[in-house]
Amino acid sequence: MMETTAHPGTNIVTVDVHGGLTAQDMQQMRQVLDEVIRDHGRVRMVAVRGKIDFTDISPKAIWLDLKSAGYIKKLERLAVVTDVDWEAKVSEWTTELVHVPMRSFGLDQRAAALAWISQP
């Protein structure tokens, strides 16, 4: 399941992923990102990665995820909140390739991630 939430009046979006992932989850995320980018030009994202059930991800969700790579160009800043070390490292490598400021936080540091992402 993925819950995508835009923080009113800001360009901050929280994407909270845990369990499985459906195409509808991905479409909702894309819709929220499109709205925030339309209103603000760029987006700051807090990506919260809980326990993901890789056996419960639909093929269409994977396809939509791959098609979402273009949103990276609109990322202003990324906070990855996870207790899975490899996910934090992959996010770090990705953001270095595309030059997006990124920082990793543990699941118990969600408030710190939101504080960091909110800084000017």
Side-chain angles (χ1 to χ4, degrees):
M1 170 177 218
M2 180 185 329
E3 297 174 46
T4 304
T5 309
H7 297 249
T10 74
N11 68 336
I12 298 171
V13 173
T14 298
V15 179
D16 192 339
V17 182
H18 55 278
L21 187 62
T22 67
Q24 183 177 356
D25 293 332
M26 292 302 300
Q27 290 166 336
Q28 173 65 24
M29 180 197 71
R30 292 168 62 94
Q31 181 180 21
V32 170
L33 290 174
D34 287 341
E35 289 173 14
V36 169
I37 291 167
R38 184 188 66 233
D39 293 346
H40 299 279
R42 299 189 51 87
V43 64
R44 293 177 177 218
M45 183 182 292
V46 178
V48 181
R49 308 264 175 96
K51 186 174 181 180
I52 298 173
D53 181 357
F54 290 100
T55 66
D56 191 21
I57 299 175
S58 78
K60 188 169 181 182
I62 293 169
W63 174 245
L64 289 170
D65 187 40
L66 292 171
K67 286 178 56 177
S68 297
Y71 288 108
I72 291 173
K73 296 183 289 188
K74 296 295 185 174
L75 272 179
E76 185 175 348
R77 188 179 282 194
L78 173 65
V80 176
V81 182
T82 183
D83 283 341
V84 180
D85 290 338
W86 70 265
E87 285 184 359
K89 273 292 181 211
V90 168
S91 296
E92 184 178 314
W93 296 332
T94 301
T95 57
E96 284 182 22
L97 290 173
V98 296
H99 307 291
V100 174
M102 180 270 184
R103 189 164 163 201
S104 296
F105 298 85
L107 286 175
D108 61 341
Q109 299 174 308
R110 190 171 178 152
L114 190 54
W116 178 77
I117 207 86
S118 300
Q119 293 176 356

